Amino acid sequence: MLIKFTMFFKGVLFVIMVTSVICEQDVHEQVRQRIHNYAERECTKNNAKEKTREIEEASMTFVDCMLNSVDVNIMLALEQASSENDIVNAYKKTCVNIPQIRSCLYNFMNGTAPCMKSEYRNEIGTAMKEFDGIFEYMCGNDSQRFTEFVADGGLNCLNENSIPIGGCARAIAISLDSSSAENSSEELKTSCEELQRFQKCFHEVLVKCPKPSTTVYFDGLLDLIRKYSECSNSV
């Protein structure tokens, strides 16, 4: 369980960090410093400190890759959609980018593998299957879940609350930067506590949205992440 947690959850944490980047345009020194802290900690812990720069560059490549996967024009089309048909069409264009996002994650995991124990590296395939479940939640079900979320003003609400949402994401990144966990069990407990804290913070922002479908959509997504990362049994 800890092995699956390590590969899947580290990817999740970096997606949360990228959320902070997108929401606050915090692309340069602060993000690079967080990534440096992460790389140095992981490599030192696994007796591969000389690989720190390599892992740092792989992580920055991941951030850039994720940012490049967000099509601003499609997001604008979703915000301006006036009918369910408009939403479905924009939704399909959004989900076309899932293979690119999946590639970002896969390359990130492989790129950071030099500072992972061999048993963790062998679980990259399993971790990617977990992410496929996340993508299915977001882009499956014939678009009904996503269509309801957009039709009820979910995207507009996210944009209006981008700063507090970025604050939730930044808080978990900063907290994990300063973590002093000494083994996998402590790391699991600490990280799951931070994920729970992030979900609570995110939920408190989203309840301000006009309709509950926005909160339901993201609570379901974060519950699924907790399930895949074994956090449901750890906090």
Side-chain angles (χ1 to χ4, degrees):
M1 288 185 179
L2 288 176
I3 292 173
K4 183 172 77 171
F5 154 78
T6 298
M7 296 309 301
F8 173 71
F9 201 76
K10 288 187 185 302
V12 169
L13 294 181
F14 260 77
V15 171
I16 291 175
M17 181 182 290
V18 173
T19 300
S20 151
V21 172
I22 294 172
C23 288
E24 301 190 31
Q25 292 79 49
D26 185 16
V27 183
H28 299 296
E29 289 307 314
Q30 291 185 34
V31 167
R32 182 172 283 279
Q33 185 60 49
R34 289 179 207 161
I35 287 175
H36 172 77
N37 293 344
Y38 160 80
E40 186 172 56
R41 182 175 65 245
E42 291 298 313
C43 293
T44 300
K45 184 170 60 178
N46 291 300
N47 300 313
K49 190 172 182 179
E50 72 280 0
K51 298 287 187 180
T52 297
R53 183 60 183 272
E54 181 180 340
I55 304 308
E56 188 174 348
E57 290 306 315
S59 301
M60 282 303 299
T61 297
F62 170 73
V63 172
D64 291 338
C65 185
M66 290 293 287
L67 289 172
N68 290 333
S69 298
V70 178
D71 190 321
V72 176
N73 291 325
I74 293 177
M75 299 305 291
L76 184 61
L78 280 168
E79 291 174 26
Q80 297 177 343
S82 58
S83 68
E84 182 171 317
N85 188 57
D86 290 340
I87 295 172
V88 171
N89 288 335
Y91 154 88
K92 289 177 179 178
K93 292 178 182 178
T94 302
C95 290
V96 164
N97 288 336
I98 289 298
Q100 183 178 342
I101 294 172
R102 191 181 190 282
S103 178
C104 294
L105 285 163
Y106 183 77
N107 290 337
F108 164 69
M109 290 185 181
N110 276 294
T112 56
C115 280
M116 294 282 184
K117 295 178 181 179
S118 60
E119 59 264 34
Y120 294 161
R121 294 196 294 269
N122 294 335
E123 288 298 318
I124 291 176
T126 300
M128 290 308 302
K129 289 180 181 178
E130 310 290 8
F131 276 110
D132 287 340
I134 300 298
F135 297 144
E136 175 62 24
Y137 176 89
M138 297 175 69
C139 284
N141 195 31
D142 295 326
S143 81
Q144 289 302 310
R145 186 185 291 115
F146 187 82
T147 300
E148 182 182 8
F149 158 68
V150 176
D152 286 349
L155 281 177
N156 289 326
C157 186
L158 291 182
N159 285 336
E160 290 168 1
N161 291 282
S162 62
I163 292 177
I165 290 171
C168 294
R170 190 174 70 251
I172 186 175
I174 292 173
S175 178
L176 290 169
D177 274 350
S178 59
S179 172
S180 58
E182 296 182 356
N183 56 56
S184 295
S185 295
E186 288 183 9
E187 182 182 12
L188 173 62
K189 184 175 184 297
T190 299
S191 297
C192 287
E193 287 172 348
E194 289 304 324
L195 179 60
Q196 187 177 48
R197 191 171 292 115
F198 172 76
Q199 184 169 3
K200 183 175 184 293
C201 178
F202 200 23
H203 178 89
E204 289 174 352
V205 174
L206 295 184
V207 293
K208 301 173 185 176
C209 295
K211 295 188 178 180
S213 56
T214 303
T215 306
V216 170
Y217 181 80
F218 282 102
D219 276 347
L221 178 61
L222 288 167
D223 284 342
L224 189 60
I225 290 172
R226 286 171 55 80
K227 173 185 174 183
Y228 283 150
S229 64
E230 304 298 339
C231 283
S232 56
N233 299 320
S234 303
V235 177

